[in-house]
């Protein structure tokens, strides 16, 4: 029995040793990081939009989360952009359209604060997933820079999920 366990461990070690990470060309890595920065900018705008229409207690929490996303964007631009690249300072047109659609849908919702929180949780989860996918695909240096931002994203996501549960 111990031999089979040892053989299984050896096989898994062999698989991990033969797995080679395919490095993306520098342009693709830069495009991936730019997209993540743009998506982060869009999330920050959504937090600010939600904070402007929610009650004062919730507004404070949402503004703090927007500031955390601000720091994430600044750090990400500094860490990844140390090579002298120009990083985006605005979101994508799709992000603006998505934000506007959310605003329209939330206006007709009966429980607006809950709708805002669900929207923020969805977009935050999408951004976290995009970061995790990018980390798996990028070369080591940009991936490390993105990994340093994961705790912030997870904290923001956990914060919003808790708020969704408390407003039920």
């Amino acid at each position: 029995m111990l031999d089979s366990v040892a053989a299984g461990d050896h096989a898994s070690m062999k698989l991990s040793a033969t797995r080679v990470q395919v490095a993306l060309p520098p342009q693709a890595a830069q495009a991936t990081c730019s997209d993540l920065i743009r998506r982060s900018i869009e999330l920050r705008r959504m937090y600010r939009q939600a904070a402007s229409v929610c009650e004062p207690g919730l507004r404070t929490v949402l503004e703090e989360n927007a500031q955390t996303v601000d720091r994430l964007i600044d750090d990400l631009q500094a860490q990844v952009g140390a090579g002298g690249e120009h990083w985006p300072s605005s979101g994508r047109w799709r992000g603006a359209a998505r934000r506007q659609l959310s605003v329209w849908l939330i206006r007709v919702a009966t429980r607006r604060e809950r709708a805002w929180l669900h929207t923020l949780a969805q977009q935050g989860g999408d951004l976290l997933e995009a970061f995790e996918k990018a980390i798996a695909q990028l070369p080591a240096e940009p991936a490390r820079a993105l990994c340093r931002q994961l705790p912030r994203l997870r904290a923001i996501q956990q914060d919003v999920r808790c708020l969704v549960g408390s407003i039920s």
Side-chain angles (χ1 to χ4, degrees):
M1 183 167 139
L2 290 176
D3 292 333
S4 64
V5 172
D9 288 338
H10 178 66
S12 66
M13 288 175 42
K14 205 174 194 181
L15 283 175
S16 64
T18 58
R19 186 174 163 216
V20 177
Q21 181 180 7
V22 178
L24 294 174
Q27 298 85 0
Q30 183 177 355
T32 300
C33 292
S34 290
D35 183 56
L36 291 174
I37 291 170
R38 287 182 193 280
R39 291 178 76 165
S40 299
I41 290 169
E42 292 161 12
L43 182 63
R44 176 184 61 192
R45 285 183 180 159
M46 186 64 83
Y47 268 105
R48 288 187 177 150
Q49 179 81 29
S52 70
V53 297
C54 288
E55 58 96 7
L58 185 56
R59 180 179 302 140
T60 303
V61 174
L62 296 177
E63 286 172 352
E64 288 174 1
N65 282 350
Q67 290 171 356
T68 302
V69 176
D70 273 337
R71 289 190 298 273
L72 179 139
I73 292 166
D74 292 342
D75 289 351
L76 189 59
Q77 287 174 335
Q79 290 171 358
V80 179
E85 295 91 353
H86 174 70
W87 296 102
S89 58
S90 63
R92 304 170 299 178
W93 67 268
R94 289 177 291 182
R98 184 177 181 183
R99 187 175 64 252
Q100 189 58 46
L101 179 62
S102 295
V103 168
W104 288 336
L105 292 174
I106 289 170
R107 281 185 186 155
V108 298
T110 55
R111 301 178 77 184
R112 290 185 181 148
E113 290 177 352
R114 184 171 170 75
W116 272 113
L117 291 174
H118 275 288
T119 300
L120 291 169
Q122 177 65 41
Q123 288 190 4
D126 291 348
L127 181 62
L128 180 60
E129 185 178 319
F131 264 77
E132 290 170 346
K133 284 181 182 177
I135 289 168
Q137 295 174 349
L138 288 175
E141 189 57 34
R144 273 193 294 271
L146 295 179
C147 281
R148 288 190 282 269
Q149 302 307 322
L150 281 178
R152 282 184 179 162
L153 283 171
R154 288 184 178 131
I156 291 169
Q157 187 64 13
Q158 182 180 9
D159 194 24
V160 173
R161 293 283 178 196
C162 288
L163 286 171
V164 168
S166 69
I167 291 194
S168 296

